[in-house]
Amino acid sequence: MSKELLNITDLYVNAGDKEILKGINLKINKGEIHVIMGPNGSGKTTTANAILNNPAYKKVSGKVSFDGEDIGNLKTDEIARKGVFMSFQLPEEIPGVSVTNFLKYAKNKITGKPVKIFEFKDELKNYMNELNMNSKNMERSLNVGFSGGEKKKNEILQMLVLNPKLVILDETDSGLDVDAIKTVSKGIEMFKNDENAVLIITHNTKILHSLKVDYVHVLVDGKIVKTGSQELAEEIEESGYIKYKS
């Protein structure tokens, strides 16, 4: 059985009339953690949105395959049901919908099976304890009045509950203090196994200090200009992206 989970081949993507991605190639196997790093405006978030076929971005050419299937013509929700989860830089607030009810609905949609509420609440409490979250937040409206750190932890909670095949974390470490970053890293470690994969998108190295990653890709001006091991992230932390800019 193939270990390949995601394969992006020669992908060109526009946002409006502007060319953003200029021939991206990226392969992620099951069991791996990949990192895409790059300066602001380099195309990192566009890459994530292109995987999920966000209609705000237009694929000009290239191919995105997930778990052996071409997903280029699928809708975003269909891709999510196939096992792709993405956290956002600015998580949505949904007044009137509790964290519990949101996650219960999402899990039902993903699995197609009814959720046993008492078992589900116990599962949530266990995860929240592991992530050092206040279990009373279960009944609060999703992200309403939450701090930035609480919102990011909430997305890690969603990741654990939904248990996708591929997780895309877009700037999850942005604006977090050291303790919150450690909690996010712990959630990634709890999620990670030999049958799933993680793609971390970031412009700095804070979240990588507590993780062991397999590959680091440097994205500059819509192109991956360098791929290496975790040492590449350490080099960027020290000297920045200047040597990779044209």
Side-chain angles (χ1 to χ4, degrees):
M1 184 177 293
S2 173
K3 292 290 287 182
E4 182 180 289
L5 190 59
L6 179 75
N7 194 352
I8 300 175
T9 308
D10 202 26
L11 184 64
Y12 288 75
V13 174
N14 289 2
D17 295 328
K18 185 177 181 181
E19 185 180 47
I20 304 295
L21 299 185
K22 305 171 183 179
I24 293 289
N25 291 282
L26 176 66
K27 185 170 78 170
I28 298 177
N29 293 322
K30 296 173 183 177
E32 293 179 344
I33 297 179
H34 287 240
V35 179
I36 294 179
M37 300 186 68
N40 290 333
S42 59
K44 302 186 301 298
T45 294
T46 298
T47 301
N49 280 285
I51 293 169
L52 280 157
N53 261 351
N54 184 327
Y57 299 84
K58 180 183 177 183
K59 287 193 180 82
V60 177
S61 62
K63 182 178 179 181
V64 179
S65 298
F66 178 70
D67 213 8
E69 177 184 357
D70 185 345
I71 59 173
N73 293 318
L74 298 183
K75 296 178 180 178
T76 299
D77 63 320
E78 294 172 329
I79 295 171
R81 282 198 292 271
K82 288 186 177 294
V84 181
F85 173 91
M86 178 176 169
S87 74
F88 296 93
Q89 295 182 38
L90 299 172
E92 290 287 334
E93 297 183 2
I94 306 180
V97 178
S98 70
V99 170
T100 299
N101 286 339
F102 174 82
L103 289 175
K104 177 175 173 287
Y105 175 81
K107 187 162 188 175
N108 173 259
K109 282 293 184 182
I110 294 293
T111 64
K113 300 175 182 178
V115 177
K116 297 179 180 178
I117 189 61
F118 293 112
E119 292 179 11
F120 184 66
K121 284 189 173 182
D122 286 341
E123 178 186 13
L124 280 187
K125 286 179 181 178
N126 289 335
Y127 283 141
M128 293 177 90
N129 286 336
E130 290 283 350
L131 296 173
N132 195 29
M133 297 173 68
N134 188 340
S135 60
K136 292 181 180 179
N137 287 353
M138 290 171 57
E139 304 310 322
R140 290 176 60 184
S141 292
L142 183 70
N143 290 328
V144 176
F146 285 30
S147 69
E150 287 174 327
K151 289 179 179 180
K152 297 299 179 70
K153 288 181 183 180
N154 213 17
E155 293 217 308
I156 297 300
L157 175 65
Q158 293 173 37
M159 174 190 77
L160 292 170
V161 169
L162 299 179
N163 193 29
K165 296 177 183 177
L166 173 66
V167 166
I168 304 170
L169 302 175
D170 186 14
E171 304 282 7
T172 298
D173 54 342
S174 177
L176 298 187
D177 61 26
V178 173
D179 290 335
I181 288 174
K182 287 181 178 178
T183 298
V184 168
S185 297
K186 180 179 181 181
I188 294 170
E189 291 173 348
M190 290 166 60
F191 166 77
K192 190 68 198 57
N193 61 47
D194 291 337
E195 294 302 315
N196 60 30
V198 178
L199 175 59
I200 298 170
I201 294 172
T202 186
H203 64 271
N204 60 55
T205 61
K206 290 188 295 183
I207 195 171
L208 308 184
H209 292 169
S210 302
L211 288 174
K212 183 180 183 302
V213 305
D214 297 288
Y215 296 98
V216 175
H217 311 277
V218 179
L219 182 65
V220 176
D221 193 27
K223 300 177 182 178
I224 292 177
V225 297
K226 179 79 172 179
T227 293
S229 63
Q230 190 144 356
E231 285 72 26
L232 178 56
E234 295 168 1
E235 174 200 312
I236 290 170
E237 184 175 35
E238 184 173 328
S239 58
Y241 297 103
I242 189 67
K243 67 182 287 186
Y244 299 108
K245 294 180 179 179
S246 56

